[in-house]
Amino acid sequence: MSNSALFLVVLITAIFMVFAALLLAKWLAPTSANPLKGEPYECGIPTRGTSWAQFKVGYYLFAILYLVFDVETVLLFPWAVIMKDVGVQGLVLVSFFLIILALGLAYAWKKGALQWM
């Protein structure tokens, strides 16, 4: 079997499996005819006033900073595992990476993005 034929078989199988999963979910999913199902909140308590509420942008900045440092941690674990293999060049590169992140943290701290209130 050639590479293009194998690719075509895999592609057709993938498309079939996606549609099969969607159909299976539609058939097996529980349905509800309750009119409250379409409400913005399903907690059973009707909303008062408008559902739109403004949030302070600081909450989003705090969340983005958390994600940045979470990704940093995820990237540092594999580096720590192979540190002996990469040598001094790897140490210099990861130090550069950490310096950039520290500068970003200092900037966010100076701007007040870490103040909760």
Side-chain angles (χ1 to χ4, degrees):
M1 185 178 263
S2 69
N3 285 342
S4 58
L6 183 61
F7 175 75
L8 188 62
V9 168
V10 170
L11 183 67
I12 290 171
T13 304
I15 291 171
F16 172 75
M17 290 181 75
V18 167
F19 282 112
L22 289 173
L23 284 174
L24 189 63
K26 185 144 180 90
W27 288 336
L28 296 178
T31 57
S32 173
N34 191 347
L36 291 177
K37 184 73 174 172
E39 291 293 318
Y41 300 104
E42 296 182 18
C43 63
I45 301 171
T47 58
R48 284 181 274 168
T50 179
S51 298
W52 293 98
Q54 291 184 349
F55 292 101
K56 191 175 156 188
V57 73
Y59 299 137
Y60 298 109
L61 291 174
F62 196 84
I64 289 171
L65 284 172
Y66 173 77
L67 287 175
V68 165
F69 288 102
D70 191 41
V71 169
E72 170 200 358
T73 305
V74 168
L75 290 175
L76 285 179
F77 275 126
W79 173 82
V81 170
I82 63 164
M83 185 188 159
K84 288 183 181 179
D85 298 337
V86 294
V88 176
Q89 182 183 6
L91 181 63
V92 169
L93 290 175
V94 84
S95 298
F96 183 68
F97 175 68
L98 290 174
I99 288 170
I100 290 174
L101 285 172
L103 290 174
L105 178 63
Y107 177 76
W109 203 325
K110 183 179 178 230
K111 288 293 187 179
L114 297 177
Q115 293 178 355
W116 194 252
M117 294 287 178

